[in-house]
Amino acid sequence: MREAIGLSKSPMLAIRDLSYSFEARKPIFQQVAIDIQPGEFVSVIGPSGSGKSTLFKLITGLLEPDQGEILIDGQKMETRLGLVGYMPQKDLLLPWKTVVDNVLLPLEVKKENKQQNMSEIRKWLSRFGLAEFEKAYPHELSGGMRQRVAFLRTIMTGRELLLLDEPFGALDSMTKRNMQSWLLGLWEELQKTVLFITHDLEEALLLSDRIYLLERTGTFQEMKVHLSRPRNPELIYQSEFIEMRKELERRIHHE
Ligand SMILES: Nc1ncnc2c1ncn2[C@@H]1O[C@H](COP(=O)(O)OP(=O)(O)OP(=O)(O)O)[C@@H](O)[C@H]1O
Ligand SMILES: [Mg+2]
């Protein structure tokens, strides 16, 4: 089903010949080329400080490349701001707004009719296990709940391409496993294209069709994940998964 997606369409994201450096610093990216097809789930891994979050800021348009181009759904736009759903590394919920108002933010920005969307949003809140917390404030939520609110807000942008920067980074391993199976189910259903940053190799393998390894040279190495779908977190105990994990570790250490 999902395998057929995107065969004849233009890539959801195309990065060509990208170079970038912060002022007077060593380049973070050098002539990077990345293609993401519609419906793909792709992870980015790499050491802390290697430039993963910077890549996302370039894609969203918060930063402009020194060289090269970034096309979203085949279009090269003057400004890319607002074209993708972006979940930053920190959840950035507004502390003075309730759960439901945080979730409604993208609609507020787009000036859409809130009332019209409320029944739809209630449905989503309940799918995200947040129905009873609609009127709660971020400080009353657990870390996992805050992440779900931030993620729901990213989905409410209505964008096809979602950039998720370490969404489960701060969670304990049990909560993380739950969130992973939940995300797998949701992604299967929503058919979104996801670019996902993580430090967790098992998470990258479990979720992704492909993994990009960001190397110290500022280039990306690609690895395909040949595991059938649908997947569930039990997969990590199977031998084919363990083999892929070894292969990934080999590639990381030989960079
Ligand atoms: N606004 C900035 N000005 C100057 N340098 C910056 C700025 N933002 C990030 N950097 C530098 O760019 C490099 C990449 O940072 P980035 O946040 O993209 O790393 P990362 O791969 O996301 O790391 P982590 O895994 O810790 O989140 C780092 O060396 C960082 O110090
Ligand atoms: Mg980062």
Side-chain angles (χ1 to χ4, degrees), residues 52-54 89 165-166 197 199:
K52 303 179 296 299
S53 297
T54 303
Q89 194 161 359
D165 193 344
E166 296 196 45
I197 295 175
H199 282 284

Side-chain angles (χ1 to χ4, degrees), residues 57-238:
K57 287 178 192 152
L58 285 159
I59 297 169
T60 58
L62 292 170
L63 294 172
E64 279 303 318
D66 296 337
Q67 188 191 314
E69 54 182 23
I70 298 171
L71 290 90
I72 314 271
D73 207 7
Q75 290 174 287
K76 187 170 189 284
M77 308 296 276
E78 279 296 305
T79 168
R80 296 178 299 285
L81 282 171
L83 284 184
V84 301
Y86 171 46
M87 179 170 164
Q89 194 161 359
K90 289 224 165 65
D91 71 36
L92 297 180
L93 296 180
L94 300 179
W96 60 88
K97 285 192 180 261
T98 60
V99 164
V100 70
D101 286 338
N102 265 289
V103 168
L104 282 165
L105 264 183
L107 306 180
E108 216 170 90
V109 173
K110 285 203 276 177
K111 294 204 172 53
E112 284 183 20
N113 185 343
K114 267 200 230 179
Q115 290 315 318
Q116 208 178 314
N117 288 296
M118 269 324 282
S119 67
E120 165 97 19
I121 284 157
R122 293 232 159 82
K123 207 176 73 200
W124 277 106
L125 284 168
S126 112
R127 284 255 350 235
F128 276 59
L130 295 163
E132 289 156 46
F133 296 90
E134 181 184 319
K135 296 270 184 327
Y137 288 88
H139 72 91
E140 299 172 282
L141 307 177
S142 71
M145 289 160 76
R146 271 202 297 275
Q147 293 297 84
R148 274 176 287 173
V149 176
F151 184 41
L152 179 52
R153 186 174 61 184
T154 309
I155 289 178
M156 291 320 290
T157 58
R159 297 301 173 193
E160 290 307 312
L161 175 61
L162 305 180
L163 308 181
L164 310 177
D165 193 344
E166 296 196 45
F168 309 146
L171 305 179
D172 67 84
S173 60
M174 276 285 285
T175 310
K176 198 174 187 175
R177 291 285 167 255
N178 288 335
M179 293 288 286
Q180 286 164 352
S181 46
W182 172 85
L183 176 58
L184 275 169
L186 195 72
W187 171 75
E188 292 276 341
E189 183 188 320
L190 291 181
Q191 315 256 304
K192 300 276 186 192
T193 310
V194 176
L195 195 53
F196 186 94
I197 295 175
T198 179
H199 282 284
D200 181 332
L201 305 187
E202 277 181 357
E203 179 169 85
L205 287 165
L206 180 66
L207 299 176
S208 313
D209 298 309
R210 289 186 293 135
I211 297 173
Y212 281 108
L213 276 163
L214 178 50
E215 303 181 317
R216 289 181 219 291
T217 47
T219 52
F220 286 90
Q221 188 191 149
E222 182 200 271
M223 178 169 150
K224 288 199 167 68
V225 182
H226 299 290
L227 296 169
S228 58
R229 295 192 187 269
R231 300 180 190 163
N232 70 67
E234 291 294 302
L235 194 62
I236 64 173
Y237 302 112
Q238 290 177 14

